[in-house]
Amino acid sequence: MTSTTVDFEAIKAKQRAGWETGDYPRVGNTLQIIAELLVEAADVRAGQRALDVACGQGNAALAAARRFADATGIDYATNLLEQGRERAAAEHLPVTFTEGDAENLPVPDASFDLVLSTVGVMFAPDHQRAADELVRVTKPGGKIALSSWTPTGMVGQMFKVVGKWAPPPAGVKPAVLWGTEQHLAELFGDRVEWTALEKREYVFRYHSAEHFSEWFREFYGPITKLAASLPEADRAQFAAELADVPRGFNQADDGTLAAHAEYLEAVGVRR
């Protein structure tokens, strides 16, 4: 199925409504370490222009700004951008947050030294168009750095549960394909030389698997929206299945949850 047969704009409108539901930063802020590791892997330098694509509440943009880069974050969810601005103000960091679509970035060609995304751009429904935009806005010789959940890791398995209850739109490839070297090669071809491809683990730390399920159902916008749409009789089953996912990856032995979630950290040079 070609991209011309899929209404990506309608899909993104539904996605945006999902991210604007709940309070995603209550989850996203816990993932800050992924952004800190990514900007270090990309060797960001003071004074570089850095762009955080699908920035959410600004994890990567803030991480770059802490290292004195000239940082910008772009996202289509205005509530997340507002929280990013609040975080930047609280930390006295000069970050610019701009509303925009990862598949149609509102910035000129070759305008950034470093383009980042931490588990963000992977959710753009048109993978190829999003990848093309990342390349377009990166200067030749600049870097593209991405952190993406893998299909076999904990988050990939969580999305399988979500997909059982809310099947994805026809023609849209799974977001977690961005967490595979093969898919990156297909999307970017010879336009990017990947200099580092490393699988890392983020640890979800909660009181319990049930606490994890409750937190995501309350705050993780797309899951919040899904849970609210289910018949009352199905909500308890969905909650239990959501809890079962991190339980299977838990390495804590004290009754709490320390669920290890694999992601792919990719850094490349734009040719």
Side-chain angles (χ1 to χ4, degrees):
M1 184 175 289
T2 62
S3 61
T4 56
T5 65
V6 181
D7 189 347
F8 287 113
E9 295 307 311
I11 292 168
K12 283 185 287 188
K14 290 181 179 179
Q15 285 183 329
R16 180 175 180 171
W19 292 115
E20 291 182 344
T21 302
D23 188 6
Y24 172 73
R26 298 289 291 273
V27 175
N29 290 348
T30 70
L31 306 177
Q32 184 65 44
I33 191 172
I34 295 177
E36 302 296 336
L37 291 170
L38 185 66
V39 297
E40 285 300 312
D43 195 25
V44 66
R45 303 296 175 88
Q48 285 186 328
R49 296 198 71 206
L51 176 65
D52 182 3
V53 177
C55 68
Q57 74 292 343
N59 285 359
L62 294 169
R66 288 190 192 100
R67 293 152 177 85
F68 302 100
D70 179 4
T72 298
I74 290 179
D75 202 287
Y76 60 12
T78 55
N79 60 321
L80 304 187
L81 292 173
E82 186 55 36
Q83 291 210 32
R85 294 185 185 104
E86 291 173 1
R87 294 178 75 197
E91 296 192 40
H92 305 285
L93 294 172
V95 180
T96 299
F97 287 97
T98 301
E99 183 179 353
D101 181 355
E103 296 175 8
N104 186 22
L105 294 168
V107 297
D109 295 355
S111 52
F112 287 88
D113 304 292
L114 174 62
V115 176
L116 304 150
S117 189
T118 56
V119 297
V121 73
M122 63 183 290
F123 293 105
D126 190 337
H127 293 199
Q128 191 60 64
R129 186 171 174 183
D132 292 347
E133 281 293 275
L134 295 180
V135 173
R136 179 184 69 80
V137 303
T138 307
K139 293 179 180 179
K143 292 180 180 177
I144 294 174
L146 310 170
S147 293
S148 309
W149 303 117
T150 66
T152 56
M154 193 209 84
V155 177
Q157 297 306 299
M158 181 178 74
F159 290 154
K160 281 188 177 181
V161 170
V162 171
K164 170 187 170 182
W165 293 90
V172 175
K173 294 179 179 178
V176 289
L177 288 178
W178 283 78
T180 66
E181 295 182 22
Q182 178 182 354
H183 196 54
L184 293 183
E186 292 170 355
L187 291 176
F188 292 94
D190 61 2
R191 299 177 297 174
V192 176
E193 178 186 359
W194 297 106
T195 56
L197 292 161
E198 181 176 352
K199 288 184 177 178
R200 291 187 180 271
E201 286 189 338
Y202 170 77
V203 183
F204 285 90
R205 301 181 187 275
Y206 288 77
H207 289 296
S208 64
E210 290 75 18
H211 178 221
F212 172 92
S213 174
E214 179 185 7
W215 197 260
F216 271 69
R217 284 181 288 116
E218 185 170 356
F219 298 121
Y220 190 91
I223 292 178
T224 307
K225 194 172 180 65
L226 168 58
S229 73
L230 294 175
E232 188 172 351
D234 291 335
R235 290 177 190 168
Q237 181 63 29
F238 175 59
E241 291 183 11
L242 202 59
D244 280 341
V245 177
R247 188 177 288 115
F249 291 85
N250 190 19
Q251 296 188 23
D253 59 3
D254 60 357
T256 67
L257 182 75
H260 290 237
E262 182 183 71
Y263 68 94
L264 179 66
E265 181 184 85
V267 179
V269 177
R270 197 270 209 220
R271 289 178 167 141

